[in-house]
């Protein structure tokens, strides 16, 4: 038997796996797609949430067509016991973000989210979609009404569409967090807190005090809580 030949084949296989891992990190931000054996799967949602319209090339974006297959794979993979969602997003496509949030919330496995820089706009329901949520002390969350840009038809149906879309988002946030509906609507309508806009910016513990987020903490606390939820689930 030619051991050098076998060693060469093994080296080639390892190099191919490394190439796949590198490509996975580049495209998805984690190695879970090609390494299905880890106990905790990390799902990063970074930059702008990209939906039906492609973001400009210079914009850092999380594509919903990448996230959805990952969530389906996590649900079906018996080796994955829990999911850590890491958020640093400015928001983005409302329907895409809300769709991802609903899928995270419907996972049968324990989920923990952590807002590390910002969880703005549609990032709010993404943060509350997990079974338990954290925010770092310096991280921020911006709560504001949805808005549209570009060509808009100025008819009453457009207003009704925006109203119903806002109601869908509000219902989800109230359902998946401890905030009261009245408090959420107050934060949405508040004036003077944001430049040239209505809404509210919440920093660290403020997001916990109003009930949006469960706890202030960092990576250590988030992973510890997720491990606890996994042990309880088993």
């Amino acid at each position: 038997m030619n051991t050098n030949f076998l060693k060469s084949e093994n080296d080639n296989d390892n190099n191919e796996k490394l190439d796949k891992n590198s490509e996975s990190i580049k495209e998805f931000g984690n190695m879970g797609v090609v390494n299905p054996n880890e106990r905790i799967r990390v799902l990063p949602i970074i930059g702008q949430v990209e939906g039906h319209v492609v973001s400009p090339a210079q914009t850092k974006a999380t594509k919903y067509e990448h996230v959805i297959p990952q969530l389906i794979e996590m649900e079906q993979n018996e080796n994955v016991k829990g999911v850590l969602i890491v958020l640093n997003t400015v928001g983005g496509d409302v329907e895409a973000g809300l769709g991802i949030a609903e899928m995270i919330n419907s996972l049968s496995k324990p989920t923990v989210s952590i807002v590390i820089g910002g969880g703005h706009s549609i990032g709010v329901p993404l943060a509350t979609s997990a079974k338990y949520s954290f925010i770092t002390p310096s991280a921020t969350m911006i709560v504001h009404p949805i808005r549209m840009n570009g060509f808009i038809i100025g008819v009453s149906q457009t207003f009704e569409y925006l109203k119903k879309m806002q109601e869908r988002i509000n219902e989800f946030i109230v359902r998946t967090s401890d905030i009261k509906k009245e408090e959420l609507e107050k934060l949405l309508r508040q004036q003077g807190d944001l430049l040239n806009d209505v809404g509210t910016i919440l920093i660290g513990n403020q997001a916990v005090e109003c009930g949006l987020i469960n706890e202030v903490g960092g990576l250590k606390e988030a992973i510890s809580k997720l491990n606890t939820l996994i042990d309880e689930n088993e």
Side-chain angles (χ1 to χ4, degrees):
M1 181 181 293
N2 190 336
T3 56
N4 290 331
F5 177 73
L6 291 176
K7 182 178 180 182
S8 177
E9 278 194 334
N10 290 332
D11 288 343
N12 288 335
D13 290 342
N14 289 334
N15 288 335
E16 286 181 6
K17 289 179 181 179
L18 287 173
D19 289 340
K20 288 181 179 180
N21 283 343
S22 298
E23 186 63 26
S24 177
I25 293 171
K26 178 181 177 183
E27 289 296 323
F28 302 106
N30 67 62
M31 298 170 64
V33 177
V34 294
N35 178 21
N37 297 317
E38 70 270 42
R39 172 183 165 95
I40 293 176
R41 183 68 60 83
V42 178
L43 177 66
I45 300 178
I46 308 298
Q48 183 170 314
V49 178
E50 183 182 283
H52 303 296
V53 178
V54 178
S55 301
Q58 68 273 18
T59 301
K60 178 69 70 176
T62 296
K63 303 175 186 293
Y64 83 120
E65 69 267 26
H66 287 177
V67 175
I68 290 173
Q70 289 186 76
L71 290 169
I72 295 172
E73 191 273 336
M74 292 173 199
E75 177 66 22
Q76 298 183 25
N77 190 333
E78 294 181 356
N79 293 314
V80 176
K81 305 302 182 183
V83 182
L84 178 68
I85 301 100
V86 182
L87 285 160
N88 190 0
T89 177
V90 295
D93 187 289
V94 173
E95 288 199 340
L98 192 58
I100 293 171
E102 286 282 15
M103 289 194 71
I104 292 172
N105 188 248
S106 67
L107 287 171
S108 63
K109 302 176 180 184
T111 53
V112 168
S113 66
I114 177 170
V115 181
I116 59 172
H120 304 161
S121 193
I122 200 62
V124 174
L126 285 167
T128 65
S129 64
K131 293 177 175 63
Y132 201 87
S133 56
F134 286 88
I135 185 170
T136 57
S138 63
T140 60
M141 301 185 77
I142 294 180
V143 184
H144 65 73
I146 62 170
R147 71 288 296 267
M148 297 178 68
N149 53 30
F151 181 74
I152 299 173
I153 300 175
V155 293
S156 60
Q157 287 89 338
T158 301
F159 172 76
E160 288 299 321
Y161 170 79
L162 291 173
K163 182 180 177 182
K164 289 180 179 179
M165 178 65 76
Q166 187 66 61
E167 289 173 355
R168 288 167 57 194
I169 295 170
N170 291 0
E171 185 276 332
F172 180 88
I173 294 172
V174 171
R175 170 162 50 94
T176 57
S177 72
D178 295 326
I179 196 170
K180 303 298 182 184
K181 182 179 179 181
E182 297 76 17
E183 177 67 15
L184 177 60
E185 291 177 349
K186 177 183 176 182
L187 294 176
L188 288 167
R189 295 193 303 266
Q190 189 164 293
Q191 297 180 344
D193 203 21
L194 299 178
L195 183 64
N196 300 324
D197 198 0
V198 294
T200 304
I201 181 169
L202 303 167
I203 303 174
N205 195 56
Q206 292 176 326
V208 177
E209 290 174 350
C210 73
L212 269 181
I213 300 296
N214 293 116
E215 188 176 337
V216 173
L219 185 60
K220 177 180 68 175
E221 290 80 9
I223 291 179
S224 175
K225 180 64 177 181
L226 184 53
N227 278 315
T228 299
L229 292 176
I230 291 172
D231 292 339
E232 292 174 353
N233 193 51
E234 293 180 336

